[in-house]
Amino acid sequence: MPVERLRIGVLCSGRGSNLQAILDAARDPSYPARVAVVISDNPHAYAIQRAREHGVPAELILPASFPDRIQHDLAVAQRLEEHGVGLVALAGYMRIVSPQFIRRFPGRIMNIHPALLPSFPGLHAQKQAVLYGVKVSGVTVHLVDEGVDTGPIILQVPVMVADEDTEESLSARILEHEHRAYPDAIRLFAEGRIRIDGRRVYTKRS
Ligand code: GRF
């Protein structure tokens, strides 16, 4: 009997290139997870099209249809549960999820951030890195807690910053690494190779 793969719900607001990387990784039947649903808050998100082209259900849940942020989050949580997701992956989701949402998926929400946290949290991380003048930036995949980009770190990949880098050139280089890092982190989670102890995430070797 084939083993049921971990079902992921991916939340996206835009381009969806990280979603694409996850969809591509999951094409391999030996990859231990698959995308069960994509949910977006933005009707213009290209991510929706990517999901549909892949035959994955994509749902639009508009914040404007709800009285407040929490009600919107709870509607998203309900759809994720209805799709039986065991992991929620934020991939360019331009909303801060509420504590009420986080409590529905304890230890089961991941985010990818285009900098080496705790440096440069929040928006425009690549621009922050260029303006600050760091020589190394990178990618962080972390679990989501109630802060902004503060949760326990699963993995990080360093990316060198060159003198001639601009926000655009650095973003493009970091993005290439994001597309490997996110599927890698999801694999670790899906294979049960992650153990969390406070802020520290320990990874069992395969
Ligand atoms: C990525 O840089 C990701 O790290 C950040 O938002 C961007 C989303 O890009 N959280 P995409 O929609 O996955 O192409």
Side-chain angles (χ1 to χ4, degrees):
M1 277 263 288
V3 179
E4 164 83 272
R5 302 196 280 165
L6 176 74
R7 298 161 74 92
I8 318 168
V10 185
L11 305 189
C12 300
S13 299
R15 170 178 70 177
S17 70
N18 279 287
L19 166 67
Q20 187 68 55
I22 298 165
L23 289 167
D24 290 345
R27 271 180 208 270
D28 177 349
S30 71
Y31 189 74
R34 68 179 179 88
V35 179
V37 64
V38 173
I39 297 178
S40 182
D41 60 332
N42 173 11
H44 307 295
Y46 185 51
I48 297 174
Q49 205 171 314
R50 293 184 192 267
R52 292 193 174 141
E53 277 167 12
H54 239 264
V56 167
E59 300 184 11
L60 190 57
I61 303 184
L62 294 176
S65 312
F66 297 87
D68 57 35
R69 176 168 94 95
I70 293 172
Q71 295 308 312
H72 175 259
D73 268 5
L74 294 179
V76 173
Q78 184 173 334
R79 290 304 292 147
L80 291 166
E81 284 167 1
E82 284 164 0
H83 281 276
V85 312
L87 174 68
V88 180
L90 309 184
Y93 191 54
M94 299 306 287
R95 301 177 65 78
I96 295 167
V97 290
S98 59
Q100 287 83 349
F101 180 89
I102 294 170
R103 277 180 223 132
R104 296 276 280 269
F105 304 97
R108 293 189 290 130
I109 309 173
M110 264 187 211
N111 183 42
I112 187 157
H113 185 76
L116 294 178
L117 291 170
S119 293
F120 314 127
L123 293 175
H124 310 299
Q126 305 94 328
K127 183 177 181 186
Q128 292 184 57
V130 169
L131 291 178
Y132 195 94
V134 291
K135 303 299 183 194
V136 185
S137 190
V139 180
T140 302
V141 183
H142 64 94
L143 291 166
V144 171
D145 67 7
E146 293 187 12
V148 175
D149 299 326
T150 52
I153 291 169
I154 298 169
L155 63 80
Q156 292 188 302
V157 183
V159 175
M160 300 304 289
V161 183
D163 289 355
E164 56 278 13
D165 263 323
T166 60
E167 177 188 2
E168 290 70 30
S169 65
L170 180 62
S171 299
R173 220 159 53 253
I174 289 176
L175 194 62
E176 288 176 23
H177 291 274
E178 292 187 44
H179 295 163
R180 288 191 288 273
Y182 217 173
D184 285 353
I186 291 170
R187 174 189 285 280
L188 290 174
F189 182 95
E191 291 178 346
R193 288 163 54 203
I194 283 175
R195 182 172 65 80
I196 303 153
D197 182 8
R199 279 215 54 83
R200 296 194 68 180
V201 177
Y202 297 92
T203 306
K204 281 185 227 143
R205 292 183 199 285
S206 51

